[in-house]
Amino acid sequence: MLPDLLIQREEKAVVFEFVDEELQPVVGVPRPDAEERGPLSSDGSLARDADLGYVHDIAVDSEDRLLILERIDPPGSAAGFQVRRVEHDGTLVTVAGTHSPHPGGPFSDEAAERAAYPPDGSDASSLVIHEATAIAGGADESVYLQTTRSVLAIEDGMVRRILGGGNQMPPAPDGGPFEEGTDASSVAYHVGLPGSLSVNAEGEVLTRMDPVPQHDEDAYAWQLTGGGGRAQSIADASAQESSTTTIYTSADGEAMIASLVGGGATWLDETTFAIRTSHKDEGAIIVLADVHT
């Protein structure tokens, strides 16, 4: 469990584990408002006792190691983050990220462009991560990073862009989810906070995106099975008022709309994902869906 910023300021640890019906501290001594440039604890430090800047997100990689997204610059609108990993021996190691050249902001347009769309093959250690919203673990120890304008993969110390960088919106055909795709690098991707990112073992990505205009709500409403009439009414109602989009990106780089209903989606296995949807008057449900069905 990762507490939010306000709670991180007050707690005795940054990351907690739920064991035997109790929350137990497992990683980090929080110093989220540290004014010095980090990392506050160097690689090789024991993660349990390490001083950590504000941690924005956590994930687990394919080897069951904890990943953390830690701020390494003093608080500011363009502060830099690092992706760090807790090894099986309990020590910290840096996976990607470096200091922001202007942590107080604002970034120049050119600098923001480089941060969102680094060239494929760039050294992960030189990546400026200043607007990250979520991280996720992928296959073969890869790490995926969602920024507000792109999704990046970090593989063997190098960066590869998965989604974003163009000027097209994903097609929203009348037939519903997964009907039509486009080159993921051509998508004008943008997401605000909170982010949402999930990767399965096949390298397929689910990520939240800001609204897609001119979509057909009826075509993209959930047709629920086994959920009962109330569940279907919640899905129908949320389809009419919610415009949060879930984008599916295949392993070969094709982006499609998976849902226009609900919030962030997460993989349960290689083909099934879960998504929460709600309506202010009706309540909330969790829907399970299979890709392409």
Side-chain angles (χ1 to χ4, degrees):
M1 187 195 78
L2 177 67
D4 66 16
L5 174 60
L6 292 177
I7 299 176
Q8 282 187 41
R9 289 173 177 155
E10 302 169 357
E11 290 288 356
K12 297 180 180 179
V14 175
V15 180
F16 292 78
E17 186 176 14
F18 193 64
V19 180
D20 296 330
E21 300 185 357
E22 291 184 356
L23 285 174
Q24 299 181 6
V26 290
V27 171
V29 178
R31 291 182 59 199
D33 294 323
E35 292 298 327
E36 63 263 46
R37 299 184 91 185
L40 300 174
S41 291
S42 61
D43 285 359
S45 302
L46 283 175
R48 184 181 185 91
D49 303 320
D51 287 336
L52 296 178
Y54 167 55
V55 175
H56 181 75
D57 197 22
I58 58 175
V60 176
D61 76 358
S62 60
E63 299 298 315
D64 291 330
R65 296 171 297 189
L66 181 70
L67 302 167
I68 65 174
L69 185 61
E70 179 193 8
R71 189 175 66 203
I72 55 171
D73 285 324
S77 60
F81 285 77
Q82 277 186 339
V83 179
R84 309 188 79 187
R85 184 175 67 224
V86 180
E87 302 286 25
H88 290 305
D89 64 1
T91 58
L92 286 170
V93 63
T94 298
V95 175
T98 190
H99 295 288
S100 169
H102 306 288
F107 256 30
S108 68
D109 291 343
E110 181 181 358
E113 194 84 1
R114 286 198 306 269
Y117 313 123
D120 285 355
S122 299
D123 185 351
S125 65
S126 64
L127 179 65
V128 176
I129 306 170
H130 77 282
E131 53 179 16
T133 63
I135 55 173
D140 300 324
E141 304 183 44
S142 59
V143 178
Y144 286 68
L145 173 71
Q146 180 189 39
T147 80
T148 60
R149 295 196 290 170
S150 63
V151 174
L152 309 174
I154 301 162
E155 302 161 325
D156 298 323
M158 294 184 293
V159 181
R160 177 169 63 91
R161 179 156 44 97
I162 300 296
L163 176 65
N167 55 15
Q168 300 181 38
M169 299 302 290
D174 293 339
F178 303 109
E179 187 179 85
E180 185 178 346
T182 190
D183 177 13
S185 65
S186 70
V187 173
Y189 179 79
H190 190 275
V191 64
L193 296 175
S196 172
L197 177 66
S198 185
V199 184
N200 68 11
E202 303 299 319
E204 298 170 319
V205 178
L206 292 170
T207 185
R208 179 176 170 271
M209 182 173 170
D210 285 351
V212 172
Q214 299 177 339
H215 62 270
D216 182 346
E217 294 94 340
D218 292 332
Y220 282 83
W222 292 107
Q223 301 302 309
L224 299 185
T225 59
R230 177 177 173 273
Q232 187 65 62
S233 69
I234 293 173
D236 291 343
S238 63
Q240 299 300 317
E241 76 167 24
S242 173
S243 53
T244 298
T245 306
T246 298
I247 298 294
Y248 162 83
T249 304
S250 66
D252 59 1
E254 189 175 25
M256 307 176 191
I257 291 178
S259 170
L260 289 167
V261 180
T266 186
W267 289 105
L268 299 182
D269 55 35
E270 282 74 13
T271 60
T272 305
F273 64 93
I275 187 167
R276 177 186 181 275
T277 188
S278 62
H279 183 257
K280 61 182 179 181
D281 297 324
E282 301 288 343
I285 54 175
I286 295 176
V287 178
L288 307 184
D290 289 328
V291 175
H292 301 304
T293 60

